[in-house]
Amino acid sequence: MSVKEVLKMGNPTLLERSIDVNEFDTPELSELIQDMKDTMAHLNGAGLAAPQIGELKRVVIFGFDSNTRYPEASVVPFTVLINPTIQSLDPTMEEGFEGCLSVPGLSGSVPRYANIRYQGFDPSGAVIDRVATGFHARVVQHECDHLDGILYPARIKDFNTFGFID
Ligand code: NI
């Protein structure tokens, strides 16, 4: 319905913990999700979390067929994920470059679990339960971190990898 302003790092809202969605299939939830889709598409993002547009609700969206920001990444199915939980399936961590619409112009290498299971709900309240690896697993971990007030620079171990893209 509309493209929203994306909050940028430094805005204290991005550091807050978001709250669970209690009611599915409501006009308010549909409007939030549509705004998130419009905003993500406008900025050509790979994912977006509700707190990035100022809504402290546990809703993330992600997915693309191809993305110019991450030309190497394989297809990630477009997903709306509500009240997500993540488990690592083994201790393997992988380094990979990330960016964030709330941290424009910058990129850095972030260690993430390589193999995860994630669960949650779609907008109608149906269960989502998936296993993911590689970039798919990375995107889910990045977006879900937003719901706990964590931006990717806080996860960087090697700050020599952090800098401006251009
Ligand atoms: Ni982000």
Side-chain angles (χ1 to χ4, degrees):
M1 252 171 322
S2 51
V3 173
K4 298 288 182 183
E5 184 192 348
V6 174
L7 305 183
K8 294 197 178 74
M9 185 169 66
N11 187 308
T13 298
L14 291 172
L15 303 178
E16 287 191 43
R17 190 185 153 80
S18 294
I19 58 166
D20 278 337
V21 170
N22 294 316
E23 273 194 290
F24 294 92
D25 221 2
T26 64
E28 293 77 16
L29 184 59
S30 298
E31 189 177 337
L32 170 62
I33 291 164
Q34 192 59 52
D35 287 347
M36 290 172 67
K37 287 180 181 173
D38 292 346
T39 304
M40 183 174 104
H42 179 70
L43 296 170
N44 193 27
L48 190 73
Q52 291 181 276
I53 58 166
E55 289 276 347
L56 288 169
K57 299 198 176 118
R58 299 187 82 78
V59 179
V60 300
I61 65 174
F62 54 85
F64 51 84
D65 295 330
S66 67
N67 189 290
T68 51
R69 288 170 182 275
Y70 304 99
E72 245 80 299
S74 49
V75 173
V76 176
F78 182 80
T79 304
V80 178
L81 183 65
I82 300 170
N83 300 346
T85 59
I86 299 177
Q87 292 168 263
S88 56
L89 295 176
D90 61 63
T92 311
M93 307 287 282
E94 268 174 2
E95 287 279 342
F97 278 87
E98 297 184 15
C100 180
L101 297 178
S102 293
V103 191
L106 288 157
S107 176
S109 181
V110 183
R112 299 284 187 187
Y113 289 108
N115 302 295
I116 63 167
R117 177 184 182 185
Y118 66 93
Q119 293 164 289
F121 301 91
D122 78 4
S124 69
V127 170
I128 293 173
D129 186 345
R130 290 183 190 154
V131 167
T133 61
F135 195 75
H136 185 174
R138 175 171 298 280
V139 167
V140 173
Q141 290 169 84
H142 175 116
E143 297 312 328
C144 292
D145 262 356
H146 278 294
L147 305 181
D148 294 326
I150 299 167
L151 298 173
Y152 81 84
R155 299 253 188 223
I156 292 175
K157 296 282 186 268
D158 179 2
F159 277 93
N160 291 325
T161 69
F162 189 43
F164 290 95
I165 295 162
D166 57 11

